[in-house]
């Protein structure tokens, strides 16, 4: 818990080595993190998903992004979907709970099954009204209730590792 999303890539490398195959990923975030560079640097907290897919650490068909809503060029914003993964934007999930979430939950469960899954949660998946303590706030995020509902509905998946990142304690 803590740090920025650059901690996820080495953790995925370790899990890939340990398990001997690519993992499924549940990626909760406001941002796609699929840039090929980070402000001119080859790696950073905005590139980890791109790098993990390029390195074969995660299975494209078993990668799901939840809560994405930041603007960006199409190539980066849709990269996961273009590779065969699935994206549930914050807008698509807004206001859903209980039975309303079931189509999304069912699609996630069907896509991932009981594959080993790594869960990564960037606190900015939440709207800044619910989590002001992030360095990269994006309006229009999930509410605490929506996020907790999704996490509860995904209970029982084969989660082998997880992180919670981008918490900015001064805020």
């Amino acid at each position: 818990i803590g740090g920025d999303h650059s901690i996820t890539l080495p953790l995925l490398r370790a899990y890939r080595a340990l398990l001997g195959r690519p993992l499924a990923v549940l990626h909760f975030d406001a941002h796609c993190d699929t840039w090929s560079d980070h402000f001119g640097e080859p790696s950073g907290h905005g590139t980890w998903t791109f790098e993990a897919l390029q390195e074969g650490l995660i299975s494209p068909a078993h990668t799901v992004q939840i809560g994405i809503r930041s603007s960006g060029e199409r190539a980066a914003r849709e990269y996961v979907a273009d590779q065969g993964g699935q994206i549930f934007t914050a807008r698509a999930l807004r206001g859903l709970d209980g039975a309303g979430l079931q189509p999304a939950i069912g699609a996630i469960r069907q896509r991932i099954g009981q594959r080993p899954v790594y869960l990564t949660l960037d606190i900015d998946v939440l709207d800044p009204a619910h989590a002001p303590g992030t360095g990269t706030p994006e309006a229009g995020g999930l509410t605490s209730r929506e996020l907790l509902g999704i996490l509860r509905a995904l209970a029982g998946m084969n989660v082998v590792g997880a992180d919670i990142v981008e918490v900015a304690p001064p805020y």
Side-chain angles (χ1 to χ4, degrees):
I1 297 176
D4 68 24
H5 241 146
S6 61
I7 70 168
T8 305
L9 190 61
L11 292 170
L12 289 172
R13 288 176 179 141
Y15 279 105
R16 171 69 167 92
L18 178 71
L19 298 172
R21 67 178 178 156
L23 283 84
V25 167
L26 285 172
H27 174 203
F28 291 81
D29 204 326
H31 307 94
C32 56
D33 293 350
T34 54
W35 299 99
S36 58
D37 69 78
H38 191 80
F39 299 105
E41 295 295 323
S43 188
H45 71 96
T47 64
W48 76 268
T49 306
F50 176 81
E51 292 179 83
L53 286 164
Q54 292 291 306
E55 292 181 29
L57 306 176
I58 60 177
S59 167
H62 304 98
T63 298
V64 179
Q65 292 184 315
I66 302 166
I68 305 297
R69 63 186 179 283
S70 67
S71 60
E73 62 185 47
R74 189 222 172 274
R77 190 181 63 246
E78 299 295 325
Y79 184 77
V80 165
D82 291 345
Q83 301 303 306
Q86 190 162 22
I87 301 168
F88 291 96
T89 65
R91 178 175 288 176
L93 298 173
R94 190 164 296 127
L96 299 180
D97 61 6
L101 270 177
Q102 288 315 303
I105 297 302
I108 293 167
R109 285 188 174 281
Q110 182 175 6
R111 179 172 290 270
I112 293 175
Q114 280 302 303
R115 256 185 112 78
V117 62
Y118 188 90
L119 189 151
T120 179
L121 193 150
D122 185 322
I123 198 67
D124 69 21
V125 72
L126 292 169
D127 188 88
H130 298 270
T134 182
T136 53
E138 292 280 347
L142 302 179
T143 66
S144 299
R145 178 180 176 200
E146 290 165 343
L147 176 60
L148 290 171
I150 293 167
L151 290 171
R152 283 186 191 110
L154 293 173
M157 295 187 82
N158 186 17
V159 176
V160 296
D163 61 51
I164 300 173
V165 298
E166 303 285 352
V167 178
Y171 301 124

